[in-house]
Amino acid sequence: MKIRGSHQLCHLLSLFVLVQVFEGDCHRFGYTQAEQRRWSRKHGTCSGKYQSPIAINSRRAFHLPMPALELVGYHNLLPGPILIHNNGHSVSLTIPKPTSVQLEQGIKHPYIFGGKLKSEYELEGLHFHWGDKNNRGAEHVLNDIRYPMEMHIIHRNRKYKDVAEALNYGDGLTVLGFFYQIQEHDGGELATIVRNLSPVSDFDRTYSLNFTFSLSSLISTVDTELFYTYKGSLTTPPCSEAVTWILFPDPLPVSVSQMNKFRHLSNGIEGSVLVDNYRALQPLGNRRVFVRKVNERNTHLNTIDKNLHYNKWDWLY
């Protein structure tokens, strides 16, 4: 089922993609260097001290024996209908909350806790950032590598009623970031989404999937025991400094053919395609990036201070 974008639908879907939700229509912004410099003119937060994305160096990360990240409900089929949307900045998937009937059937909405998180965070949606070439596209850089694509799975702190409220607090959101690396064959994890990109090839198109899937099927090859985490912001206007980032170094597979499906989407400007939708790297400043200590197999990571206390997370932010 194809849906033409109305103002109401545009406003709703932009909430899940984490772009400006406080205007009556979808907020448009660009990704060229000049356009990104203009973000802070309209949104002062975009020039803040705790902005994202950043470059991560494993040897400079603080190595901590923090708890595992618990992905509750990630193996369950998501409640439908799942909507896929091209908003001109990205491709997003929105997942509805379970109905009362579904709740009675034991279907629960996915949520996460653990790591450095002090609350439970409930799933809101997911979206992608990608490049025109295979040497760029991901927003974060890991050990001087910029992957061709990055997926963000957004979660809201359960103590806030919606994303708009959560953006006002430093612990409002948690975003899980996953990298993609080019391989010869199609990535099976991504196939579910790629084969449904053509109905949203035009700007402001929405398509209702006639099937469902689990979040775990999208990340089945990732070792979620190992991750980096830091305090940061949205990577789109209004750049609210409300995000705890959790990034997994194990890349997911994607083929050139699959990448080209993303690269042929329209960004709403005549004759232009949606590519290079990633923000420039931001200064780390006095923040610290933490990496979870799992076992001795991770000894290649530089342990800066084995006795670093968890409370330092708060006063370094």
Side-chain angles (χ1 to χ4, degrees):
M1 177 178 63
K2 294 183 180 179
I3 307 172
R4 287 297 294 183
S6 65
H7 290 333
Q8 276 189 327
L9 180 61
C10 189
H11 179 81
L12 172 64
L13 291 168
S14 65
L15 176 68
F16 292 103
V17 159
L18 299 180
V19 297
Q20 178 62 278
V21 297
F22 309 109
E23 300 180 7
D25 199 0
C26 272
H27 178 60
R28 301 304 304 277
F29 55 86
Y31 277 98
T32 67
Q33 291 183 2
E35 288 169 326
Q36 290 194 40
R37 285 194 293 269
R38 288 196 289 269
W39 292 5
S40 59
R41 298 177 190 172
K42 188 168 185 177
H43 307 282
T45 314
C46 291
S47 58
K49 295 181 179 180
Y50 306 112
Q51 291 292 289
S52 299
I54 62 170
I56 294 175
N57 186 311
S58 61
R59 292 192 171 276
R60 296 176 184 171
F62 282 67
H63 203 184
L64 290 180
M66 66 185 84
L69 185 68
E70 301 295 336
L71 309 175
V72 182
Y74 264 54
H75 289 282
N76 300 337
L77 291 176
L78 294 168
I82 298 171
L83 299 180
I84 184 169
H85 179 59
N86 173 2
N87 68 354
H89 309 126
S90 181
V91 167
S92 68
L93 274 74
T94 63
I95 297 94
K97 302 294 191 295
T99 64
S100 57
V101 174
Q102 289 173 324
L103 289 173
E104 291 176 359
Q105 295 172 343
I107 298 176
K108 296 182 179 180
H109 207 60
Y111 66 95
I112 62 173
F113 67 92
K116 302 275 324 158
L117 303 178
K118 297 180 180 178
S119 303
E120 294 179 349
Y121 288 74
E122 186 173 277
L123 174 70
E124 287 290 347
L126 62 92
H127 64 260
F128 297 85
H129 298 266
W130 63 90
D132 187 34
K133 304 296 182 182
N134 295 335
N135 63 350
R136 63 178 187 260
E139 296 211 289
H140 291 85
V141 169
L142 178 61
N143 293 329
D144 297 324
I145 298 174
R146 192 186 287 276
Y147 290 100
M149 187 162 68
E150 183 174 334
M151 176 175 65
H152 295 160
I153 304 181
I154 306 102
H155 302 75
R156 168 188 46 82
N157 193 323
R158 279 181 162 173
K159 67 183 180 181
Y160 306 119
K161 65 180 180 179
D162 54 33
V163 171
E165 180 184 2
L167 292 181
N168 296 313
Y169 300 91
D171 64 347
L173 301 172
T174 292
V175 179
L176 306 186
F178 299 87
F179 301 111
Y180 288 85
Q181 179 62 289
I182 295 292
Q183 295 191 9
E184 180 180 358
H185 302 290
D186 287 353
E189 295 82 2
L190 197 60
T192 298
I193 294 172
V194 170
R195 65 171 174 259
N196 288 283
L197 287 179
S198 57
V200 295
S201 58
D202 295 331
F203 164 67
D204 201 20
R205 286 277 186 163
T206 300
Y207 182 69
S208 179
L209 302 183
N210 59 6
F211 61 92
T212 185
F213 54 89
S214 67
L215 289 176
S216 63
S217 69
L218 298 179
I219 58 172
S220 61
T221 60
V222 174
D223 178 7
T224 57
E225 294 292 316
L226 177 62
F227 55 83
Y228 297 88
T229 183
Y230 77 98
K231 294 276 192 171
S233 73
L234 303 184
T235 60
T236 59
C239 312
S240 306
E241 294 177 340
V243 181
T244 297
W245 282 94
I246 299 177
L247 300 161
F248 301 90
D250 281 351
L252 288 157
V254 61
S255 68
V256 172
S257 173
Q258 289 176 317
M259 285 300 314
N260 286 338
K261 296 292 179 60
F262 284 90
R263 292 165 177 161
H264 283 89
L265 300 175
S266 171
N267 64 1
I269 301 173
E270 186 175 357
S272 297
V273 290
L274 177 53
V275 292
D276 294 335
N277 58 341
Y278 61 93
R279 190 186 187 189
L281 293 175
Q282 303 298 303
L284 180 62
N286 67 349
R287 289 176 289 176
R288 296 293 184 267
V289 176
F290 297 88
V291 60
R292 180 172 183 255
K293 180 179 179 181
V294 181
N295 53 40
E296 292 305 314
R297 71 183 178 86
N298 294 319
T299 54
H300 67 285
L301 300 174
N302 186 28
T303 304
I304 297 180
D305 183 356
K306 292 183 179 179
N307 298 316
L308 184 66
H309 195 275
Y310 276 32
N311 289 340
K312 289 190 177 181
W313 168 276
D314 299 314
W315 57 258
L316 284 172
Y317 173 54

